[in-house]
Amino acid sequence: MKTKRILRAVFPLLSVLMLVALIFGCAGPQATQPPAAGGDVMTRPPIGVVRGFTITDLTGPTSDTCVLHYNGTVDYLKELNAAGGLVYNDPKTGQKERVTFEYDFSDCKAQAGPVPSQYDRLSTATPKPVIYFAGCTAASLTTLPFTERDHIVQLSGMSDQAIWWPPKWAFCMTPDYAGDACAGAHWAMQDWKAKGGSGTPNWAWFTLDIPFGRSMATPESEAYIKGLGFNLAGLFTMPFAPVDLSAELMSMEKAGVNYFYSNDLPQQEAVVMKNLAGLGLKDKMQAIGNPYAIAESILDKAGVDANGLVGVHFSAFPAETNLPGIKDATEMAARNGRTMSTDYALGLCVGRMLTEPVKRALEAKGYPITGDDVYQAMLDPSGYDVSGGIIAKVTWTETERRGLWITYMRGVQDGKIVRISEDFRIPDMKPQQ
Amino acid sequence: MLPSGTYNVRYEQSMAIFRTRAQWILLALFLIALFTVPLYGSRYILSLISMIGITIIAVEGLGILTGYSGQLSVGQAAFVGVGAYTSVICMQRFEMPFLLAILCAGLASGLIGIIFGLAAVRIKGFYLAMTTLAAQFILGWCFLHLRSWTGGTEGLFVKPATIGPLVFASAQSKYYLVMVITVIMIFFAKNLMRTRLGRALVAIRDNDLAAEVMGIDLLLYKLIAFFICCFFAGVAGTLYAEYVEFVNPVQYTLEDSILYVGMLIVGGMGSIMGPIFGVIFMKLLNEGALYLTPILTDMVPALGGAIFSALSTAVYAIVIILFLVFEPKGINYRWTIFKNQYRLYPFAY
């Protein structure tokens, strides 16, 4: 009797649940191709929507830089859609068509914890996203298996080794942390010799004590730096919001450090430079920053103490308005009430790198497209030279997911960031097999 | 408190967790609802609930250490990491089956927890928190630098768990795996606290001197508390690694450890339901804030996404502050009052 009573209670519930499952489990609206219509492409409605998304750090410890990238990308996409969207030649309809590019975002605060849920929310939107920009290391790393599973192309900025090796569904636009550090060491050794330095100079890492910061110090990068003729003096760490780094810098002085490379952001690098000046160590130790550290905001944050900082960078200067990409970014910043900066211009690059493979996939297959189509477009052997000179041409292959190999050195002189070296190739820091 | 008009007449009744037919029915309905979510829930919903389940296990362990035995730990995320790495190494390097690997992960985390817990014999409160903070940094250093085992900054990719012919590769199957283990761990925690061990831990929390006078071995029980706390963390770490299919040091940070303590405080310490409420509340609040941010940004595009992300974070923080000011005993206390009110009906509480 008791069993019957329980079954009587459970069966209606199960029936309701099954009904709900049937209703909600049915496939959602699919991106289908509407019938072709003649006339000018701009007067006809868009053939459909292509979706992308980003997970980035908008309010966390690396937001200093990520927000600028995000603003550049969103402004570019907003203007693109306002101008009618992505216009392309559709092989299915045999005429020009256009699609709008929807771009969703979520703020992971540079933490891995919230990323899986955020990714699952954004990646299951309708129509299914085909491309995604991982704006911070936590998002890039955590979603590597997911993007491969879901066949959604992942575009990454600066990257950890795991993001580009072994090859997955992630494509890195800019150099990797370890490679950049080694580029800095390459310049440092030339500088040491040019200054007539004798003996073995000492090299140190000075970094945020997180995986992003430490990721430059790999066995490969350490072997490369030793191979250049440096003695490795050690790895010194700093907190996210340092108030004073004098103790660390004095320890470095005690260890005889001649050059140190910082993997941090302007807010920390400003403290490094202020303390370095305060201790009178600028002539003894050369600070070398990563591309984030030697951004324009270091001039405001460190003031005159920023003078003397050098850094590795791969992007054109905001003042180079003779370059089409920089000109576009400058005008876009003005239209949207933003301050033009290198990182804002890089945001424009991200926007173009998100949409150009989509356009190529649309032209190859016609609407609708999938992540697989965009993946194939990413491997286009002709590469991507869409940034108008902001960064060099980007090319990916089946086995190489680092798109950019060119860098140069910047330096802060008389309160301005200037180029202090010619372009040179970034050392290859592929992990030992 | 029993519902009005319900009496215990046997010892078994008195000891039962679910004492009335209504409670059994509610439990059955809850479990049916929980295990039928994959039939109608989107992958986002499954992911969210799975993450909540995994976090509940980690915070439940912390609740046993902090809420029941009064030992503060701010290194729980590092122990979650130990579990994640151990399970992956066990499965991929030693080809252990998943169930054995999850056990090894729990044991490894527990044993490392004991090492850091040894300090609890001499120190307590904030001083003990500092030693567990050291665990966070030391273990984080190990994750990065024991590269041949952990993969260093590159991390390790994880193959889907298998139990016999069952392969947990899809979001649905992973959901079931997480939910089954979460339910088992909550049941284990609930029962553990009703044993002599549980009562001893509470005695130590309330007055360790008095507990020692009563014959409770402080060293042994404090270390057991650390072991159990870290065992839970190890299990949570295994599930997290399986769910995300990737382990990397970036996943086990100090912020996560502090967030776990926050969840415990909001939910209410010294109960099994407290961590559950805390995790659900904090996770949903966070998701709500994240969900609203793009909507608000679309409404006022001139302000940009970063402003609204910051606002949502501020709202998140304000809600927690208000909560702590107006209900410092946690959500569980409010739930207990609510239960007592309806159980006493028709009498006034």
Side-chain angles (χ1 to χ4, degrees), chain A residues 159-167 172 176 401-402 429-431:
Chain A
S159 61
D160 223 333
Q161 277 181 348
I163 297 166
W164 51 265
W165 185 259
C172 303
D176 60 307
R401 298 300 159 82
R402 289 167 291 177
M429 288 299 112
K430 188 174 275 188

Side-chain angles (χ1 to χ4, degrees), chain A residues 142-157:
Chain A
T142 307
T143 54
L144 276 177
F146 298 165
T147 49
E148 192 166 28
R149 174 194 69 194
D150 301 333
H151 287 209
I152 295 174
V153 168
Q154 174 179 334
L155 189 67
S156 290

Side-chain angles (χ1 to χ4, degrees), chain A residues 302-315:
Chain A
V304 291
D305 293 333
N307 288 331
L309 173 69
V310 300
V312 186
H313 219 292
F314 49 85
S315 163

Side-chain angles (χ1 to χ4, degrees), chain B residues 25-47:
Chain B
I25 291 170
L26 283 173
L27 174 69
L29 291 177
F30 172 74
L31 289 177
I32 288 168
L34 190 68
F35 285 95
T36 49
V37 170
L39 297 177
Y40 53 85
S42 66
R43 201 176 71 205
Y44 165 55
I45 296 292
L46 296 183
S47 171

Side-chain angles (χ1 to χ4, degrees), chain A residues 109-365:
Chain A
K109 300 170 182 26
Q111 289 177 11
V115 170
S117 305
Q118 291 179 14
Y119 173 86
D120 279 335
R121 176 161 59 84
L122 298 173
S123 67
T124 51
T126 305
K128 187 186 169 187
V130 292
I131 194 162
Y132 139 70
F133 179 66
C136 65
T137 309
S140 281
L141 288 169
T142 307
T143 54
L144 276 177
F146 298 165
T147 49
E148 192 166 28
R149 174 194 69 194
D150 301 333
H151 287 209
I152 295 174
V153 168
Q154 174 179 334
L155 189 67
S156 290
M158 289 284 288
S159 61
D160 223 333
Q161 277 181 348
I163 297 166
W164 51 265
W165 185 259
K168 291 193 169 50
W169 274 65
F171 295 81
C172 303
M173 269 179 71
T174 50
D176 60 307
Y177 300 132
D180 263 332
C182 290
H186 170 80
W187 172 85
M189 182 49 78
Q190 287 182 336
D191 181 64
W192 176 255
K193 287 174 182 168
K195 285 177 179 166
S198 59
T200 307
N202 286 316
W203 173 273
W205 309 107
F206 192 21
T207 182
L208 288 166
D209 193 16
I210 51 168
F212 145 65
R214 288 173 175 267
S215 61
M216 62 183 175
T218 64
E220 293 78 23
S221 63
E222 291 183 357
Y224 176 84
I225 290 163
K226 279 182 187 169
L228 286 172
F230 279 106
N231 174 49
L232 284 176
L235 188 146
F236 299 82
T237 60
M238 64 175 91
F240 260 135
V243 177
D244 190 284
L245 295 168
S246 298
E248 288 83 351
L249 292 168
M250 286 162 73
S251 299
M252 279 196 236
E253 187 202 10
K254 207 178 248 181
V257 170
N258 304 102
Y259 296 89
F260 66 88
Y261 183 88
S262 316
N263 220 18
D264 55 10
L265 300 166
Q267 66 184 62
Q268 295 96 16
E269 195 63 24
V271 180
V272 171
M273 294 311 291
K274 281 180 179 175
N275 290 163
L276 208 55
L279 293 167
L281 293 176
K282 273 193 176 179
D283 294 333
K284 286 188 177 177
M285 290 194 286
Q286 176 63 57
I288 306 172
N290 71 1
Y292 297 142
I294 193 147
E296 287 75 22
S297 62
I298 190 78
L299 302 177
D300 297 329
K301 287 174 177 158
V304 291
D305 293 333
N307 288 331
L309 173 69
V310 300
V312 186
H313 219 292
F314 49 85
S315 163
F317 284 94
E320 293 181 86
T321 45
N322 57 316
L323 297 170
I326 292 291
K327 184 171 174 282
D328 292 347
T330 307
E331 288 170 359
M332 191 174 81
R335 283 194 298 272
N336 290 281
R338 313 270 195 204
T339 305
M340 172 59 180
S341 65
T342 303
D343 286 310
Y344 182 79
L346 285 171
L348 170 69
C349 277
V350 172
R352 285 176 169 171
M353 274 313 309
L354 284 166
T355 50
E356 183 61 22
V358 166
K359 186 178 175 183
R360 290 189 194 182
L362 285 166
E363 293 198 328
K365 192 192 168 193

Side-chain angles (χ1 to χ4, degrees), chain A residues 3-47:
Chain A
T3 314
K4 273 187 178 174
R5 275 207 302 274
I6 291 169
L7 286 175
R8 267 207 299 270
V10 168
F11 270 128
L13 183 81
L14 275 177
S15 309
V16 172
L17 284 173
M18 293 298 281
L19 191 67
V20 171
L22 264 175
I23 294 166
F24 288 95
C26 291
Q30 298 293 311
T32 52
Q33 191 175 347
D40 181 55
V41 64
M42 301 311 282
T43 57
R44 282 181 277 126
I47 194 167

Side-chain angles (χ1 to χ4, degrees), chain B residues 156-236:
Chain B
L156 298 170
F157 287 92
V158 185
K159 290 175 191 158
T162 54
I163 300 176
L166 301 172
V167 181
F168 298 92
S170 66
Q172 284 85 355
S173 59
K174 284 178 185 173
Y175 173 88
Y176 283 121
L177 181 71
V178 170
M179 283 307 123
V180 167
I181 294 177
T182 304
V183 169
I184 290 170
M185 295 305 284
I186 292 170
F187 184 71
F188 175 65
K190 177 74 183 172
N191 278 298
L192 195 71
M193 289 306 112
R194 287 145 33 100
T195 62
R196 183 181 189 277
L197 170 66
R199 289 192 293 274
L201 294 180
V202 172
I204 292 170
R205 177 194 66 189
D206 291 345
N207 191 323
D208 55 354
L209 194 62
E212 195 168 23
V213 169
M214 285 193 296
I216 294 169
D217 186 336
L218 290 188
L219 171 64
L220 178 69
Y221 280 93
K222 282 184 178 179
L223 291 185
I224 290 174
F226 266 96
F227 177 82
I228 295 168
C229 166
C230 297
F231 183 89
F232 273 68
V235 172

